[in-house]
Amino acid sequence: MLAALTRLVGSRLAPGGGNARLSILMYHRVLTDPDPLLPGQMHAALFDTHMQALRTHFNCLPLGEAVTRLRNGTLPPRAACVTFDDGYRDNVEVALPILRKHRVPAIFFIATGYLDGGRMFNDTVIEAIRGANVPELDLTDFKAGVLALNTVEQRRAAISACLRVAKYRNPEKRLDFVAEVAQRSGARLPDDLMMDSAQLEILLNAGMEIGAHTVHHPILLRIADDEARKEIVDSKRQLKS
Ligand SMILES: [Zn+2]
């Protein structure tokens, strides 16, 4: 009954053919287990229920095929695609087995500058505060005050405060600030958060698609046009090689 209703609603909201609508589910990380420090983050059990529901009620297509069929008016009703941004290692280790289990295709957009041991600035902040071996972080010189790190709630608040400071700085100053947070935290930072090149092969061999997601993951609207073009082109070139 529920399935029939969902199908009916799905067909109305997402018809096929000339009036087709394509639903795209965008993911970033898929953690093995829920993380108290990052309560909103996707994890394996929840992702499994998403893919189960998607497989049951939608027609899941590879993004490349879906875009072609959207253009030429041959998209089936309730068409859906799954995408992953950034290139996290957990996409291969945690999400891929679940995608295969439910036979859902996906495309992985890779920020190539972080392949093989890189780390994005937001993760440096998160991991510095997770692994901090000091009771507080004094960031008064960055106008961020003294951040207590005794409880999970305090660490969560500290992460938000640091990400806020980082966000409003230009890329160079942002990296300086993040490096300072990392250094003052005394944490040992992981260098295995992102995929390595061999894992791209694993995705391709599993029938998944790979797309470019710039080199350094800048906000393209905030950088000069020629710089943005270079980020896009270089990322695509690196993936092809
Ligand atoms: Zn991204």
Side-chain angles (χ1 to χ4, degrees):
M1 172 66 188
L2 181 64
L5 191 64
T6 311
R7 260 198 304 279
L8 180 68
V9 172
S11 304
R12 289 269 166 82
L13 292 175
N19 299 319
R21 294 268 167 80
L22 174 61
S23 303
I24 299 180
L25 283 82
M26 299 166 61
Y27 294 93
H28 289 81
R29 300 201 64 178
V30 180
L31 307 176
T32 309
D33 296 300
D35 180 351
L37 259 195
L38 306 168
Q41 199 68 258
M42 182 55 54
H43 55 85
L46 185 57
F47 186 68
D48 189 75
T49 63
H50 280 201
M51 293 306 107
Q52 167 86 54
L54 200 65
R55 186 75 224 174
T56 309
H57 305 300
F58 285 82
N59 289 305
C60 304
L61 298 171
L63 184 68
E65 180 188 337
V67 170
T68 306
R69 293 178 66 177
L70 183 64
R71 281 206 186 111
N72 62 25
T74 62
L75 206 62
R78 293 171 284 108
C81 294
V82 172
T83 71
F84 288 86
D85 280 357
D86 302 343
Y88 283 98
R89 179 178 294 256
D90 58 32
N91 294 176
V92 181
E93 294 177 350
V94 182
L96 181 61
I98 297 169
L99 290 165
R100 297 183 88 160
K101 172 181 158 193
H102 296 291
R103 299 191 313 283
V104 172
I107 183 162
F108 298 78
F109 292 107
I110 311 292
T112 51
Y114 304 102
L115 277 171
D116 300 305
R119 190 174 51 242
M120 299 202 299
F121 84 84
N122 49 310
D123 290 315
T124 299
V125 166
I126 292 165
E127 298 309 320
I129 289 171
R130 185 198 302 283
N133 52 26
V134 291
E136 60 183 31
L137 266 184
D138 186 349
L139 297 173
T140 38
D141 47 341
F142 292 98
K143 298 193 176 69
V146 179
L147 307 174
L149 302 175
N150 297 307
T151 65
V152 172
E153 287 73 23
Q154 286 174 341
R155 286 183 190 236
R156 231 187 271 159
I159 289 171
S160 302
C162 288
L163 290 179
R164 245 189 334 269
V165 173
K167 196 174 151 186
Y168 292 107
R169 311 188 129 230
N170 70 39
E172 234 164 84
K173 284 192 165 178
R174 178 182 301 144
L175 288 184
D176 288 347
F177 168 69
V178 168
E180 206 50 50
V181 170
Q183 208 251 318
R184 292 179 196 183
S185 75
R188 278 194 55 178
L189 298 173
D191 54 11
D192 60 352
L193 290 176
M194 312 309 282
M195 288 181 208
D196 57 41
S197 307
Q199 289 176 312
L200 296 178
E201 292 291 327
I202 294 176
L203 291 174
L204 289 173
N205 290 337
M208 302 291 162
E209 293 175 297
I210 285 176
H213 194 54
T214 73
V215 179
H216 300 104
H217 204 265
I219 299 171
L220 291 177
L221 288 173
R222 290 218 201 134
I223 60 176
D225 285 357
D226 55 341
E227 222 179 304
R229 174 175 294 275
K230 188 168 160 39
E231 280 281 341
I232 295 166
V233 171
D234 286 356
S235 159
K236 208 168 169 183
R237 193 181 299 135
Q238 281 168 24
L239 286 171
K240 278 192 174 155
S241 66

